[in-house]
Amino acid sequence: MSLDFLTIRDIDLQNKRILIREDFNVPIVNERITNSARIRAALPTIKLALAQAKQVCLVSHLGRPNGIEEQYSLRNIVPMLQELLDTSVYFSEGLERTSHKLVLYENMRFFPGEIRDDVGLANKLADLCDIFVMDAFGSAHRAHASTVGVAEHAPLAVAGLLLATEVENLNRVMHAPKRPLVAIVGGAKVSSKIQVLTSLLHVVDKLIIGGGMANTFLSAQGVDVKESLYERDMLPVAHEIINGPMAEKVVLPLDVVWDGNKIMDIGEKSCAQIKQHVNNAKTILWNGPMGVFENSLYATGTIETAKYIAESDAYSVAGGGDTIAAIDVAKVQDSIDYISTGGGAFLEYIENKTLPGIKVLTRKVEYVS
Ligand code: ADP
Ligand code: MG
């Protein structure tokens, strides 16, 4: 399915001032970047813009600062950005226009009004450019001034290469996937992912539930989960799902691994069951570890699951902060077809099939070049 919004590939950048919303929200310890993956993921769009446009301005947020806090200054990423792009980056603390070819503005969250999508701030950002490029998939679920507001006020709002790739890959799962489509959802809490589960039930052929999330469903089935993580409030919803019209799609653990009175991982039979469903699948979506994988004693279910997905011929997509960490532990990064760069945004996209920061992009049908 082709995208219905404009991307940076669709438009002429000659003589244009481009403002790109990046996701430069990288982990920084003692002023050092400990993982540069997000900066690297942003490079193709920046390079494309630099090669054609008159000026390229970059904005992003970093962390959750309370007002202006030096440790969250984007100045910290300038050296790495310069090195990776092999060109000089002008750093601007304020939102003034400059004549520099490549400008990085300060952390958007240092500016009052960013989070409440203040119209004045959105206009100020829109004034910096002829074309706004949204490339921060990981922030596209938040309606902030630098994601949604600026897109509403800029003359043209288009997707960057990273955002377009994310949406193309997620759409391969969510729109007309090759079937069977098998989703595997784990992790800690039912309440934070209940909407995702409900949405998924409508599109998938099988929904495999594991991790702490499964405990609430096991309890709804009558299993005594003792002191395991589970959400009593969510029992009615779990009941509805396992007794509802789509109950046949739901796959719950057959056995579990205990630590005293707590369920910590899925067991061997559960793994074998997942393997069978994964082998049968043509498309696989994975979010959430199957157990407390941070402890190697309870990582088996998660690592096995990661390996089944990696070994399968199905088209596979995975996402989620802890899921990516688990994929690293299992060392199967290269065998999964697409790993989303968004955590919350990935889940919300699955839930709603769009995001606020994507809805505001200029539609292809509205555009006459
Ligand atoms: P993601 O970040 O990939 O979306 P989550 O944040 O939802 O995943 O969940 C990850 C967390 O779930 C991990 O810290 C893991 O230890 C925890 N978890 C998985 N299974 C269990 C369990 N049985 N009991 C308690 N915690 C669990
Ligand atoms: Mg998480």
Side-chain angles (χ1 to χ4, degrees):
M1 211 184 87
S2 67
L3 302 172
D4 63 350
F5 50 81
L6 287 177
T7 78
I8 193 169
R9 287 182 294 240
D10 301 321
I11 51 166
D12 183 8
L13 307 179
Q14 294 298 328
N15 281 320
K16 298 284 199 289
R17 292 171 306 144
I18 313 293
L19 175 71
I20 311 177
R21 173 53 158 98
E22 305 287 4
D23 179 2
F24 287 152
N25 188 24
V26 290
I28 295 181
V29 181
N30 298 329
E31 292 171 23
R32 276 203 51 237
I33 298 170
T34 53
N35 184 332
S36 61
R38 286 184 165 157
I39 299 180
R40 290 173 194 276
L43 298 177
T45 304
I46 301 174
K47 285 182 182 166
L48 176 70
L50 277 175
Q52 299 179 20
K54 181 164 77 186
Q55 183 185 44
V56 179
C57 300
L58 309 175
V59 289
S60 175
H61 79 281
L62 175 61
R64 296 175 180 219
N66 216 330
I68 298 175
E69 288 184 75
E70 265 318 296
Q71 55 170 317
Y72 294 112
S73 173
L74 276 174
R75 200 185 284 279
N76 291 317
I77 77 156
V78 171
M80 177 161 293
L81 199 56
Q82 294 194 134
E83 191 189 314
L84 291 172
L85 287 167
D86 198 19
T87 186
S88 68
V89 175
Y90 179 79
F91 184 76
S92 175
E93 281 176 6
L95 291 176
E96 298 85 36
R97 280 195 193 182
T98 81
S99 56
H100 298 270
K101 171 87 188 202
L102 179 59
V103 188
L104 172 67
Y105 287 97
E106 184 54 288
N107 189 345
M108 283 310 307
R109 292 193 182 168
F110 285 8
F111 298 92
E114 159 68 355
I115 287 173
R116 61 168 197 275
D117 191 8
D118 176 71
V119 65
L121 181 59
N123 265 314
K124 218 168 172 182
L125 288 167
D127 276 347
L128 293 173
C129 68
D130 304 307
I131 298 165
F132 171 67
V133 178
M134 177 61 178
D135 213 19
F137 179 79
S139 303
H141 59 314
R142 301 197 174 108
H144 292 173
S146 69
T147 55
V148 167
V150 57
E152 287 168 338
H153 297 282
L156 204 59
V158 308
L161 301 174
L162 176 61
L163 186 93
T165 304
E166 284 276 357
V167 173
E168 277 158 359
N169 280 283
L170 298 188
N171 283 357
R172 262 181 86 174
V173 176
M174 301 305 290
H175 299 282
K178 284 201 177 143
R179 293 187 180 276
L181 164 59
V182 173
I184 305 168
V185 182
K189 291 175 89 188
V190 180
S191 50
S192 63
K193 293 187 187 174
I194 189 66
Q195 306 298 344
V196 176
L197 289 182
T198 325
S199 278
L200 277 175
L201 264 180
H202 290 276
V203 294
V204 300
D205 299 293
K206 287 287 173 213
L207 177 61
I208 299 171
I209 301 175
M213 150 104 71
N215 298 341
T216 306
F217 289 87
L218 292 175
S219 173
Q221 271 186 334
V223 175
D224 180 7
V225 299
K226 300 185 184 165
E227 285 161 35
S228 305
L229 176 85
Y230 97 106
E231 291 169 83
R232 189 183 292 275
D233 297 356
M234 286 290 136
L235 273 177
V237 185
H239 264 290
E240 232 175 271
I241 291 179
I242 60 175
N243 297 311
M246 287 181 278
E248 270 179 31
K249 294 183 176 182
V250 180
V251 178
L252 291 172
L254 297 170
D255 57 348
V256 291
V257 177
W258 296 84
D259 175 14
N261 283 334
K262 288 186 177 154
I263 297 173
M264 301 300 272
D265 195 6
I266 55 171
E268 275 176 35
K269 286 185 199 156
S270 310
C271 286
Q273 177 177 244
I274 293 178
K275 187 174 187 178
Q276 205 188 339
H277 288 297
V278 163
N279 284 345
N280 188 35
K282 289 270 184 335
T283 309
I284 301 165
L285 178 70
W286 180 30
N287 166 261
M290 296 292 104
V292 184
F293 77 100
E294 295 91 340
N295 180 337
S296 61
L297 283 177
Y298 308 115
T300 310
T302 304
I303 291 182
E304 285 297 303
T305 299
K307 286 186 176 158
Y308 304 150
I309 299 172
E311 285 160 12
S312 141
D313 294 331
Y315 170 73
S316 54
V317 171
D322 294 290
T323 310
I324 295 173
I327 289 170
D328 285 344
V329 176
K331 299 193 180 70
V332 294
Q333 303 85 324
D334 298 335
S335 310
I336 292 184
D337 290 294
Y338 191 71
I339 299 178
S340 175
T341 57
F346 167 76
L347 287 171
E348 251 190 74
Y349 193 88
I350 293 169
E351 188 187 324
N352 299 324
K353 299 191 178 126
T354 188
L355 296 173
I358 294 174
K359 267 193 227 167
V360 286
L361 299 177
T362 312
R363 302 291 118 178
K364 277 183 182 154
V365 287
E366 291 165 18
Y367 178 65
V368 227
S369 62

